[in-house]
Amino acid sequence: MTNESESLISPAGQTISRLRVEHFHGDTIGLPTGTPRLSWDYETVPPADSEIVFHVERRTLGATDPVVQETRVPAGDNILCTWPFPALASFESAIATVRLVSRSGEPLSPVSEPLRFETALLENFDHFADFVGPSWAEPETDHRHLPLVRAEISLRDKPAAARLTLTALGMVEAEINGVRIADDALLPGWTVYSDRLDCWTFDITDRLIAGANALGFWLGDGWWRGRLGFDGGWVNFYGDKIGVAAQIDLVYPDGGTERILSNSWDRTWKVTPGPIVCSDLYEGERYDARLEQPGWSMPGFDDSSWKHVAEVHYDTAKLVNAELPPVSPIERDEPVSITKRDDGSWLIDFGQNCSQRMRVHMRGLDSGDVVTMRHVEVLNPDGSLATRTLRRGQQCDVYTSNGTDAWWEPRFAMHGFRYASIEGYKGELTVDDIDCRVYHTDMERAGWFECSDPMINRLHENAVWSMRSNFVSIPMDCPQRDERMGWTGDISLFAPTATYLYDTQSFLANWLEDVRGEQLRYGTIPFYVPFVPLGVWAQSAAIAIWGDAAATVPWALYMDGGDTDALRRTYPLMTAWIDEVAGYLSDDGVWDRRPEFAIGQLGDWLDPAAPPDNPMLAMTEKELVATAFFAQSCRIAADVASVLGEPADAIRFGELYDHVRGGFIGRYVGENGIMTSDTQCAYALAIALGLLDDDDALRAAAGDRLAQLVRESGGKVATGFAGTPYVLPALSRTGHDDEAYALLLSTECPSWLYQVKMGATTTWERWDSMMPDGTVNPGGMTSFNHYALGSVAHWLHARIGGLEPVEPGWKRFRVAPMPGGGITHASTSHMTPYGLAACSWSVSDGDAGRVMTVEIDVPVGTTASVEIGSTPQDLPAGHHTLTFPF
């Protein structure tokens, strides 16, 4: 082995980069805390006795002269550094910089790039705005005509600073003086509204002028009262009236202040039916341009025919400031083909299945002409739209023209599709007439992967696209049919992959707040959160994997981000789940008490052997699956208790783990390592979850049997949701990388690359969502955009690419690529809290035979544990080139 390293121990040329606040990226407005934590990266290792000069310039809203504060903190406090100054007030901004100095004050680095951030309206008692909406009687069913709300205000001068705090019961888009204030979508997002409702903060200083100004608000039903879910759905689940709450806090140049509030007693706040005839998140939007009122959000508009608003009651004590990024248009998706069909309609192929919306140039239409837009994931073999699997969620938008040219996009619907048809469009439809935008929560990309096999690269991209498509306000299961729920089982399994690919810290922490709320409400963790009783799922019950999200998701966040405070927030969620399920165990520690739920445990859901109409008929015993996952949760809880300084809990959960693991082995594992469920799933869980780690011979025997089952299957996958994330890691842990690569590289159904071979651009829900002849799976539950099976990307990162965290926050990480499957090079990288960790390798011919060259980047503050060849080694911060005989 040879080793060339570039040292990063010298402070000479030191720079500080990536200054950030909490888990936000870049300049931030609307921080939900007055004591935000800051983080930054070092380019070289700071001297042991060095310090950071922490400098802030603070300004209250509208102030021109800053209050300057400065202090020193240890150089090692660069990850989530505690705010060292008095707390910021509402709407107080700060410009922060940091600089490395010696203990004597000698500068060791330039001043960092400044970071600007500002708090939201922090005190709940400062929320004075009322929710206001339609004052007419509305039908109690869905498909209601949606309103516009407006108000005119007069300002004595142009404000020096102005902030809008905005939320809604339903969804809202805001305009000021005829211009939309932001391109965010689906605001305020989906939370458990009976517990909390997100408020969003906007800087509107440049939108307001001296004199007359107009405020305009589009309102939509959204998740608040729209029809939610499958089996007919549920309408008016949270309420039957929609409304907007808007509060403007402004400061004039002379220091005077003013607060403008939405309310029902001010006769200038008015409402009228708008051009959105109806809008449904799943079914689509109907828009009649003939009902438009030009200038309605401009000052001076004649609103004498509008009605006065009515107040919609909501407990403002439940208002909270948003802790996650908004849903936004992230990029454009250009059509790859536009085809005119025999019936005069247009078929558009965007080449990529994802969550997106078309913005179409409606031109050459007469008043009353109707253009219909339909959206699907795949086509039937005859080229027709495959709409059956959408069920009620038909994703159909209808635009009625008023005879003028216009660009139009739905406001309060979201679609998951690759193909779209447009009917009723006059003239020729070109690429220039379509502006398609990809939408998801605006998370920062954090992980990348590439290798010499293009099919594996496409598989990885599919996992990325499915994650993007479904991380829309909450972690949904699918973005297209009449479901789109926050299934806890999907994210329970996918969380380690998700945290690698994107910075999901604030996104998933926000969702976990609602998981805890629903747990308190229902006495267990529901199948999906927010929970809406639907069909057979209307009765909440403790279900393994799904409920285990209480442990697996917080632990994945902690391992990636190292945020102990966030872990502490989720500790009650985790411990309540452990204590609940502990009461369901038999004396030997096996979880075999059937949940009080008609279906029972879900087990290895969507095992490929299960029939299309019954995804629960898996080959692996459900109690085996449940016990394995609960053992994992107990181990996580014991580790978390130790981290948080709860020694009694650490002992209690550790003993419970030993008890459950003992029951698992005693009931399901024979002395020869053969399990009662002789399946890929059973062995994968026993090995990968560490349940056999105390007996090397037993684990080896189980690994041998798993490898044999893979060979007997001809390299086909035989696992569902439960086993799929663990089958490749289990093979690798027991020395069977050849079988792991055979399983990964198979293109026969069921397999990951079968989907790629069939043209998939996202991860499917079922292994055979599309049959080999191109027909869609006949089951009533089939999606082409589910991220759960994309959890294979975790193995791609850790085993092919070679990166995996060992300690929380990537303080120590493993570098252990294992070439195989004919792959000649691979690279992966992840943006850790300390900076970018990366590993790339290639295999080539050298003078003494085949050699493997590995390039490793270790961020300052971390250590890489290299496990290549026969002698493991630790590498410090820096760039390293290692060469091994291969």
Side-chain angles (χ1 to χ4, degrees):
M1 179 190 73
T2 60
N3 184 349
E4 298 178 4
S5 299
E6 177 186 332
S7 173
L8 294 183
I9 62 173
S10 170
Q14 171 73 277
T15 58
I16 295 175
S17 60
R18 227 167 49 103
L19 183 61
R20 55 203 185 275
V21 60
E22 287 295 332
H23 295 292
F24 295 92
H25 296 270
D27 295 347
T28 302
I29 186 172
L31 278 176
T33 176
T35 55
R37 301 167 297 173
L38 267 67
S39 304
W40 57 91
D41 297 347
Y42 295 114
E43 296 299 317
T44 58
V45 179
D49 61 347
S50 59
E51 297 178 325
I52 281 289
V53 175
F54 200 139
H55 179 95
V56 297
E57 297 179 6
R58 302 169 57 148
R59 290 177 175 83
T60 56
L61 189 65
T64 55
D65 297 326
V67 174
V68 177
Q69 295 177 330
E70 192 170 281
T71 189
R72 291 193 187 187
V73 299
D77 290 354
N78 61 311
I79 304 301
L80 298 172
C81 178
T82 301
W83 181 251
F85 305 110
L88 298 167
S90 293
F91 302 132
E92 186 173 2
S93 63
I95 301 176
T97 60
V98 294
R99 184 177 195 174
L100 187 70
V101 299
S102 66
R103 181 166 293 180
S104 62
E106 179 185 357
L108 300 177
S109 79
V111 176
S112 71
E113 291 293 323
L115 177 69
R116 295 169 174 81
F117 49 91
E118 180 181 297
T119 58
L121 187 65
L122 296 178
E123 299 297 340
N124 191 273
F125 53 73
D126 281 335
H127 287 277
F128 293 102
D130 295 331
F131 287 88
V132 296
S135 53
W136 56 84
E138 296 182 280
E140 296 183 358
T141 59
D142 52 354
H143 298 163
R144 287 162 282 212
H145 201 134
L146 297 181
L148 303 173
V149 173
R150 76 180 304 273
E152 289 205 23
I153 58 176
S154 180
L155 305 182
R156 61 180 176 84
D157 198 353
K158 178 174 176 56
R163 299 294 181 264
L164 169 65
T165 302
L166 180 67
T167 189
L169 305 175
M171 290 180 180
V172 62
E173 284 189 7
E175 298 179 6
I176 295 179
N177 297 332
V179 179
R180 186 175 171 183
I181 64 168
D183 59 3
D184 304 335
L186 309 184
L187 288 183
W190 195 4
T191 52
V192 178
Y193 301 127
S194 50
D195 291 343
R196 63 194 188 105
L197 175 63
D198 278 346
C199 294
W200 297 81
T201 305
F202 299 93
D203 181 350
I204 58 171
T205 306
D206 293 339
R207 304 299 177 91
L208 298 173
I209 60 176
N213 294 263
L215 314 175
F217 305 94
W218 299 80
L219 292 184
D221 290 343
W223 295 287
W224 172 262
R225 74 171 186 182
R227 187 172 294 278
L228 301 175
F230 46 86
D231 288 345
W234 190 302
V235 69
N236 300 330
F237 182 69
Y238 297 102
D240 60 359
K241 298 183 184 302
I242 57 175
V244 57
Q247 179 166 321
I248 297 176
D249 289 89
L250 60 85
V251 178
Y252 289 107
D254 62 5
T257 62
E258 187 172 356
R259 175 170 280 169
I260 297 160
L261 307 169
S262 57
N263 60 79
S264 57
W265 47 264
D266 185 339
R267 309 298 279 180
T268 63
W269 284 84
K270 292 189 173 183
V271 62
T272 195
I276 302 179
V277 177
C278 64
S279 185
D280 182 279
L281 276 164
Y282 308 86
E283 296 176 16
E285 192 160 293
R286 291 178 174 267
Y287 185 92
D288 192 338
R290 296 171 299 181
L291 302 178
E292 291 177 344
Q293 300 189 44
W296 71 276
S297 61
M298 294 286 289
F301 174 78
D302 181 7
D303 61 7
S304 58
S305 63
W306 290 39
K307 299 181 180 298
H308 299 295
V309 296
E311 182 179 357
V312 184
H313 293 284
Y314 183 80
D315 182 0
T316 56
K318 297 178 180 179
L319 297 179
V320 297
N321 291 306
E323 297 186 18
L324 74 168
V327 176
S328 300
I330 305 300
E331 63 183 86
R332 285 179 166 83
D333 192 5
E334 293 281 342
V336 297
S337 68
I338 301 176
T339 306
K340 191 169 188 177
R341 297 185 289 191
D342 292 342
D343 62 1
S345 65
W346 296 88
L347 178 65
I348 308 160
D349 178 4
F350 289 93
Q352 177 61 56
N353 189 24
C354 60
S355 288
Q356 51 190 343
R357 297 194 306 210
M358 287 193 301
R359 183 169 170 261
V360 179
H361 188 191
M362 302 295 182
R363 57 182 176 82
L365 300 172
D366 297 324
S367 181
D369 283 350
V370 175
V371 177
T372 302
M373 291 150 282
R374 307 181 193 275
H375 311 77
V376 297
E377 296 185 286
V378 298
L379 303 177
N380 293 314
D382 63 0
S384 61
L385 304 181
T387 60
R388 174 181 59 82
T389 56
L390 299 177
R391 302 183 307 218
R392 181 181 64 84
Q394 287 296 295
Q395 304 193 122
C396 179
D397 298 326
V398 179
Y399 176 88
T400 302
S401 175
N402 61 4
T404 61
D405 287 1
W407 284 89
W408 183 79
E409 174 185 353
R411 276 181 169 81
F412 301 121
M414 189 60 67
H415 305 315
F417 68 98
R418 170 178 172 172
Y419 300 94
S421 75
I422 299 183
E423 305 162 17
Y425 194 89
K426 293 183 176 179
E428 293 298 308
L429 184 68
T430 70
V431 172
D432 293 337
D433 296 313
I434 300 171
D435 179 14
C436 190
R437 306 183 184 195
V438 176
Y439 283 87
H440 59 79
T441 295
D442 192 7
M443 305 167 293
E444 189 88 356
R445 185 72 186 266
W448 298 265
F449 171 86
E450 181 273 335
C451 74
S452 60
D453 189 323
M455 293 189 74
I456 298 298
N457 292 338
R458 183 67 249 187
L459 172 65
H460 188 266
E461 281 301 297
N462 289 359
V464 173
W465 276 104
S466 280
M467 176 182 172
R468 297 177 65 185
S469 300
N470 287 293
F471 277 47
V472 178
S473 185
I474 65 168
M476 298 180 182
D477 60 323
C478 59
Q480 74 300 94
R481 68 181 181 221
D482 59 346
E483 191 162 349
R484 312 187 195 187
M485 312 300 284
W487 287 91
T488 48
D490 298 55
I491 191 59
S492 178
L493 299 168
F494 191 76
T497 306
T499 56
Y500 190 96
L501 293 174
Y502 279 87
D503 183 347
T504 61
Q505 293 289 325
S506 59
F507 177 87
L508 289 177
N510 182 71
W511 177 73
L512 286 168
E513 290 286 329
D514 285 324
V515 177
R516 175 56 174 162
E518 299 289 51
Q519 181 189 48
L520 291 171
R521 177 172 292 103
Y522 295 102
T524 191
I525 295 174
F527 317 111
Y528 42 81
V529 173
F531 184 66
V532 179
L534 296 167
V536 72
W537 309 95
Q539 180 184 2
S540 186
I543 299 295
I545 305 175
W546 281 251
D548 289 304
T552 56
V553 177
W555 186 251
L557 288 174
Y558 179 59
M559 286 300 294
D560 186 69
D563 189 343
T564 306
D565 288 352
L567 195 63
R568 185 173 288 107
R569 286 172 63 183
T570 58
Y571 190 60
L573 165 71
M574 190 182 303
T575 57
W577 169 250
I578 300 295
D579 291 339
E580 178 195 357
V581 177
Y584 301 152
L585 306 179
S586 291
D587 291 342
D588 64 352
V590 170
W591 183 4
D592 59 359
R593 171 179 165 180
R594 296 188 65 80
E596 297 174 0
F597 173 45
I599 294 178
Q601 290 284 358
L602 301 181
D604 195 20
W605 178 260
L606 283 172
D607 177 325
D613 59 347
N614 194 341
M616 290 171 296
L617 288 183
M619 296 184 293
T620 308
E621 296 167 79
K622 294 179 180 179
E623 293 76 17
L624 181 157
V625 172
T627 305
F629 277 94
F630 184 60
Q632 177 186 230
S633 291
C634 292
R635 177 184 53 75
I636 290 172
D639 290 343
V640 171
S642 295
V643 170
L644 299 181
E646 301 287 347
D649 279 356
I651 293 171
R652 180 166 65 94
F653 294 141
E655 291 175 345
L656 183 59
Y657 169 72
D658 291 338
H659 180 54
V660 174
R661 184 183 59 171
F664 178 89
I665 295 173
R667 185 140 359 152
Y668 299 116
V669 185
E671 294 182 359
N672 59 356
I674 302 302
M675 301 184 66
T676 55
S677 288
D678 193 29
T679 64
Q680 290 184 18
C681 175
Y683 294 105
L685 297 182
I687 296 166
L689 298 183
L691 302 179
L692 307 180
D693 282 359
D694 285 352
D695 191 325
D696 291 342
L698 199 62
R699 183 177 64 178
D704 289 344
R705 179 55 182 161
L706 174 59
Q708 183 180 357
L709 289 174
V710 170
R711 292 191 298 269
E712 291 174 353
S713 73
K716 294 180 182 178
V717 177
T719 54
F721 271 33
T724 293
Y726 303 103
V727 64
L728 297 183
L731 288 166
S732 291
R733 286 195 66 186
T734 53
H736 296 289
D737 278 298
D738 287 345
E739 285 80 5
Y741 272 104
L743 201 60
L744 174 70
L745 296 173
S746 173
T747 58
E748 299 302 314
C749 186
S751 70
W752 289 281
L753 295 190
Y754 166 76
Q755 300 180 11
V756 174
K757 184 178 72 173
M758 294 298 292
T761 62
T762 43
T763 307
W764 297 349
E765 178 180 22
R766 295 176 179 267
W767 295 110
D768 58 352
S769 285
M770 180 175 286
M771 311 304 284
D773 63 359
T775 59
V776 175
N777 187 291
M781 186 191 74
T782 300
S783 157
F784 293 88
N785 200 345
H786 259 64
Y787 58 74
L789 297 183
S791 56
V792 66
H794 183 62
W795 189 84
L796 303 184
H797 303 146
R799 202 63 177 173
I800 299 181
L803 287 185
E804 187 175 22
V806 175
E807 294 181 4
W810 291 75
K811 185 70 176 175
R812 172 180 287 269
F813 60 92
R814 180 181 295 112
V815 179
M818 179 54 67
I823 296 174
T824 57
H825 67 79
S827 64
T828 191
S829 57
H830 177 71
M831 185 60 74
T832 78
Y834 298 89
L836 189 69
C839 175
S840 64
W841 60 265
S842 61
V843 175
S844 60
D845 293 323
D847 294 338
R850 300 278 282 173
V851 295
M852 178 181 179
T853 302
V854 185
E855 305 276 345
I856 304 169
D857 289 306
V858 185
V860 173
T862 70
T863 301
S865 176
V866 180
E867 300 176 9
I868 307 173
S870 58
T871 306
Q873 61 175 313
D874 286 350
L875 295 181
H879 178 80
H880 308 270
T881 301
L882 286 70
T883 303
F884 302 88
F886 185 76

